[in-house]
Amino acid sequence: MSGRSARLTGMSRELTRRRLLQGAVALSLTGCTPGPTSPSREQTSARTKAPTGARTAAPTGVRTATPPSVAAAPGPTRADWRALAESIDGEVVRRFDADFDEVRVLFNPRFDRAEPLAVVEAASAADVAEAIAFSRRFDLVTRPRAGGHSYVGASTGSDAVIIDVRRMHRVRYDAGSRLATVGAGAGLYAVHTALARNGRSIPTGTCPTVGAAGLTLGGGLGVDNRQHGLTSDALVGLTLVTADGRTRVVDADHHRDLFWASRGGGGGNFGVVTSLRYQTHAARPMGFFLLSFPWGRAPAVLRGWARRVRSMPRSTWANLHLDASSGSTSVRIVGVCEAGDEDAQAAAMQREIGIDATSESTFRRSFLDGVRFLGGGSTSARTSFAAGSDVLAGMPDELAHTLPRIVARRAAHGGSAAVILDPLTGAVGDKPVDATAFPWRRHLATVQWYVGLPLHPPTTTVRAAQDWIGGAHRAIAGTSVGAYINYLEPGRPLAAYYGSHLARLRRIKAEVDPHGIFSSAYTV
Ligand SMILES: Cc1cc2nc3c(=O)[nH]c(=O)nc-3n(C[C@H](O)[C@H](O)[C@H](O)COP(=O)(O)OP(=O)(O)OC[C@H]3O[C@@H](n4cnc5c(N)ncnc54)[C@H](O)[C@@H]3O)c2cc1C
């Protein structure tokens, strides 16, 4: 089986084997929920279509700085592409190549219309440097890609050159230092299986196929956050190929600004990451508690949950789901804790809320079974969705009433949606706010607005989902302090994701990518 075929067993092929619903249920379990809003064709690319593929124009809102000397660069010829392919260990897959469709698509089929010029499947940092040099020579839009789960399709683009790092997926563990070195293109389930062989783990999100690079660069929310911090908090260094073609080792002692920016500053901004180094923690069996409550008591459940996630042991994590499904509504909590502690944690949560759950389920899983349970399996099917986020500083009474109303409104129109609150409490708050680019360390939770869609949804369906998300933003505008960069949405100002860190991120970007090689509507 070729490397590409092997990789596809994890994503595209699954599409034919697994039902869409299965994926959607798995995702909604813990907050492993996707969600972009349908970008227009222009939004998926930083340039308009031109036969040569040379960068000629950018849509509104895209900040590019094309140097005059290269603005008129002729596009690459077939011989140029061949030379690029011969200069790298990986592969260059171009339009009209038989497997182009396989390699160009992202997790969310809503971005299937994007037709890159080529996907460079880079096998090493040297390959990445060659691809960047090629892009610069012909002034081509360049997009890094790892797992392909961007909510806005930021890792593709019509007429862009995609630098795909999924061939770099090796996971190595050094028992002496207890550090893991992870290829930037490794999927999260692969990371967990490799590290679990050594009894170790890193904090990650729950979706099995999300890429290590994309997740980490934006922060990384998941069930270990309260005990071990964000995925990016476990990062001790990375290897980054920058626009000048240099391969830089970035850590606390080298390129410190880039190290700061790479922990929460978001993917795609500063270059192409080829590997990431993390401190690890012991992989332990997990306890689970799943609690459902009467919908009519949702405000009390929200208030109680908000108190509990500030005071419960750090080894316990719990998120809260408000769901609308075909006209009905539900409120539930998914908790993860030390194996053996699940009954006590379920009881403590109910005590704090002051209401008995209408259904309660507690159980234990070995570490990897727990990872699979959270992720809905060891892989995930491609799924269409629209989503967005807000960040909450607290849970004032008014908000606890507004959130269920937003969901009830969707249900009243027969629609389905999920509102998922993930806690930012515990270890996330241990670091000073300015320690990394991730700005939300003194806050209660992220809230994700998620609408699952048919695989290839009609525009009206997408628009209805986007309207509901837009309405949700407006409804809580008074209490939202921002949004989570890994749940990007079109049309949202970048300041919403970065807060006061945006100015520093822009300074770093200007230094390391002065000609905007990696610039798009979604980069700083
Ligand atoms: C089904 C699903 C479940 C999710 N669950 C969670 C979750 O539990 N917790 C959570 O925090 N987030 C979650 N997310 C959000 C996810 O973290 C982000 O979408 C993340 O950016 C995806 O990374 P990726 O590598 O898979 O995506 P990609 O689309 O490949 O990349 C995302 C961004 O990073 C850039 N990028 C990719 N590779 C590189 C690289 N090597 N160097 C530099 N930049 C790069 C891309 O250009 C793009 O801008 C989920 C998303 C989905 C779709």
Side-chain angles (χ1 to χ4, degrees):
M1 191 184 287
S2 75
R4 182 174 308 140
S5 305
R7 193 191 63 229
L8 285 169
T9 56
M11 207 161 88
S12 302
R13 277 191 198 162
E14 279 300 310
L15 185 61
T16 59
R17 287 199 268 128
R18 301 181 67 196
R19 288 173 303 130
L20 172 66
L21 185 63
Q22 193 183 344
V25 168
L27 293 172
S28 66
L29 184 65
T30 59
C32 171
T33 319
T37 11
S38 174
S40 65
R41 189 178 173 88
E42 286 73 28
Q43 281 168 319
T44 64
S45 170
R47 64 178 295 276
T48 53
K49 198 171 167 96
T52 60
R55 173 155 45 198
T56 54
T60 317
V62 177
R63 295 163 359 99
T64 54
T66 307
S69 57
V70 296
T77 62
R78 206 183 288 183
D80 293 323
W81 286 109
R82 205 177 310 121
L84 172 64
E86 280 164 9
S87 70
I88 64 173
D89 291 330
E91 271 183 66
V92 178
V93 186
R94 294 190 59 210
R95 288 177 189 174
F96 313 118
D97 282 342
D99 46 1
F100 182 63
D101 268 352
E102 271 179 28
V103 303
R104 78 178 171 87
V105 296
L106 301 187
F107 176 81
N108 191 334
R110 284 179 49 217
F111 307 111
D112 282 0
R113 281 173 305 163
E115 284 236 1
L117 274 185
V119 177
V120 179
E121 298 190 304
S124 64
D127 282 6
V128 171
E130 287 289 346
I132 292 174
F134 184 87
S135 282
R136 290 199 64 174
R137 181 171 152 215
F138 296 104
D139 191 28
L140 303 173
V141 169
T142 311
R143 300 276 161 79
R145 175 194 299 169
H149 286 60
S150 165
Y151 277 30
V152 291
S155 54
T156 188
S158 289
D159 302 326
V161 173
I162 311 303
I163 303 181
D164 187 315
V165 299
R166 282 177 287 189
R167 286 191 177 205
M168 290 179 268
H169 58 233
R170 264 186 70 193
V171 178
R172 278 166 297 159
Y173 174 68
D174 176 55
S177 62
R178 293 189 166 174
L179 295 181
T181 303
V182 174
L188 301 185
Y189 184 68
V191 173
H192 282 303
T193 47
L195 292 181
R197 277 183 219 120
N198 300 283
R200 306 301 289 176
S201 181
I202 59 171
T204 70
T206 45
C207 180
T209 48
V210 160
L215 178 84
T216 307
L217 294 170
L221 301 179
V223 301
D224 286 321
N225 287 165
R226 298 196 71 261
Q227 190 160 25
H228 299 291
L230 304 164
T231 310
S232 58
D233 291 340
L235 191 72
V236 297
L238 62 150
T239 304
L240 178 73
V241 186
T242 43
D244 54 9
R246 279 174 63 192
T247 298
R248 306 182 195 220
V249 174
V250 173
D251 57 29
D253 301 318
H254 307 92
H255 307 293
R256 291 172 64 170
D257 262 359
L258 277 172
F259 188 47
W260 177 86
S262 300
R263 291 172 292 161
N269 280 304
F270 307 105
V272 182
V273 177
T274 57
S275 78
L276 304 133
R277 286 174 295 288
Y278 305 91
Q279 65 193 25
T280 61
H281 62 261
R284 296 189 196 284
M286 297 183 213
F288 287 89
F289 54 99
L290 314 182
L291 306 170
S292 295
F293 295 89
W295 177 253
R297 307 300 304 277
V301 177
L302 279 156
R303 285 191 302 260
W305 172 84
R307 285 191 301 272
R308 181 77 188 141
V309 296
R310 288 200 188 277
S311 61
M312 62 195 186
R314 286 186 170 202
S315 51
T316 303
W317 173 95
N319 74 358
L320 188 148
H321 299 240
L322 301 167
D323 297 314
S325 176
S326 311
S328 67
T329 45
S330 64
V331 52
R332 63 203 168 93
I333 287 172
V334 175
V336 182
C337 60
E338 280 176 14
D341 205 19
E342 56 278 359
D343 289 331
Q345 291 305 317
M349 181 65 82
Q350 290 170 82
R351 260 198 315 278
E352 186 69 63
I353 291 170
I355 301 167
D356 286 342
T358 48
S359 85
E360 174 179 344
S361 164
T362 58
F363 50 93
R364 297 170 202 176
R365 291 276 189 276
S366 69
F367 174 74
L368 270 185
D369 279 350
V371 168
R372 280 189 291 268
F373 175 75
L374 290 164
S378 57
T379 187
S380 41
R382 296 182 72 213
T383 305
S384 275
F385 61 88
S389 71
D390 280 282
V391 173
L392 308 175
M395 185 59 67
D397 245 25
E398 192 191 325
L399 181 65
H401 284 90
T402 303
L403 290 171
R405 270 202 297 270
I406 292 168
V407 177
R409 207 172 301 138
R410 177 94 182 146
H413 294 95
S416 296
V419 173
I420 304 156
L421 284 84
D422 284 330
L424 290 168
T425 54
V428 176
D430 286 351
K431 284 192 189 301
V433 173
D434 291 340
T436 74
F438 185 84
W440 313 122
R441 295 191 184 275
R442 300 290 177 265
H443 303 85
L444 173 70
T446 54
V447 52
Q448 178 165 203
W449 318 100
Y450 173 79
V451 180
L453 297 170
L455 215 50
H456 294 285
T459 315
T460 47
T461 309
V462 175
R463 199 166 299 140
Q466 289 170 330
D467 286 349
W468 175 75
I469 293 166
H473 288 318
R474 285 191 296 281
I476 69 156
T479 41
S480 170
V481 294
Y484 175 39
I485 188 65
N486 273 353
Y487 300 158
L488 264 169
E489 288 168 75
R492 202 100 190 255
L494 283 176
Y497 300 102
Y498 298 116
S500 60
H501 290 167
L502 180 59
R504 182 171 172 192
L505 286 166
R506 284 191 164 145
R507 278 199 302 277
I508 297 167
K509 167 89 171 162
E511 272 169 32
V512 79
D513 184 18
H515 301 307
I517 301 294
F518 297 107
S519 290
S520 80
Y522 301 108
T523 54
V524 299

